[in-house]
Amino acid sequence: MGPIETDADRLLETVDGSLIAVGDVVTYHILEAGRAPDVALVDERTKRSAIEDEIRETVAAETHLEAVNPPAEISADVIRALVEAIARDEPTTILVEGEEDLVALPAIVAAPEGASVVYGQPDEGMVHVQVTDDHRTEMRALLERFEGDTERFWSLLEGE
């Protein structure tokens, strides 16, 4: 979806606007580089294993919202939390019980134009997506192929 970066400082130089971080390790590196993401989604796991204590203490120190999202799904609960977090003026961390990986997809759709969505690519680095209408269109098409109540999904994501 975007370039892969291994250096958070270099990645942050290209961020212009709001920043949504998906994943514990990504959020940790962004925080360590001196920037609090506007929205961070964490689940206290990386590659399906518990994260190190230092990372957990750093990324979950300021949990503002909680959501349940089973692995390999995108739940209504996590979409509600995402929409609420994006609307807030202060940085917001969402602690996900389950798995947050797929939430990068609706985050790209819900993020404002020009925002950055950063998610982890295991063993490679951080993928940086600067949100454009083309990205939103691509994500909408992909999300339409998911099983489930897509009509309800879109109404939740669009805040209706």
Side-chain angles (χ1 to χ4, degrees):
M1 287 297 306
I4 295 177
E5 182 60 69
T6 56
D7 183 294
D9 290 314
R10 200 166 32 233
L11 183 146
L12 288 172
E13 289 173 2
T14 64
V15 171
D16 183 30
S18 62
L19 172 62
I20 300 172
V22 180
D24 296 73
V25 175
V26 166
T27 300
Y28 175 77
H29 287 298
I30 290 170
L31 287 166
E32 288 295 296
R35 167 87 190 257
D38 296 283
V39 177
L41 291 113
V42 299
D43 63 5
E44 299 184 329
R45 305 187 73 69
T46 186
K47 295 192 273 187
R48 301 217 162 104
S49 298
I51 57 173
E52 297 172 23
D53 288 342
E54 178 185 348
I55 295 174
R56 187 185 75 255
E57 290 166 8
T58 302
V59 301
E62 294 280 333
T63 298
H64 302 99
L65 297 172
E66 294 183 11
V68 175
N69 190 64
E73 292 186 22
I74 303 173
S75 71
D77 195 36
V78 79
I79 293 301
R80 281 188 209 97
L82 174 66
V83 169
E84 181 179 337
I86 289 172
R88 289 182 171 195
D89 290 331
E90 68 277 348
T92 302
T93 298
I94 303 168
L95 179 59
V96 177
E97 180 183 326
E99 193 173 88
E100 91 294 274
D101 300 8
L102 289 176
V103 185
L105 306 177
I108 292 168
V109 174
E113 181 76 18
S116 291
V117 176
V118 181
Y119 62 91
Q121 183 69 37
D123 302 318
E124 291 189 43
M126 299 171 281
V127 179
H128 179 197
V129 180
Q130 286 191 296
V131 178
T132 65
D133 284 337
D134 288 343
H135 288 121
R136 284 194 198 96
T137 299
E138 188 177 342
M139 286 304 98
R140 282 182 176 275
L142 179 60
L143 288 163
E144 280 291 332
R145 298 196 321 244
F146 279 49
E147 291 181 17
D149 186 349
T150 54
E151 189 173 310
R152 180 165 182 248
F153 171 81
W154 292 118
S155 69
L156 288 169
L157 191 60
E158 294 163 1
E160 297 173 5

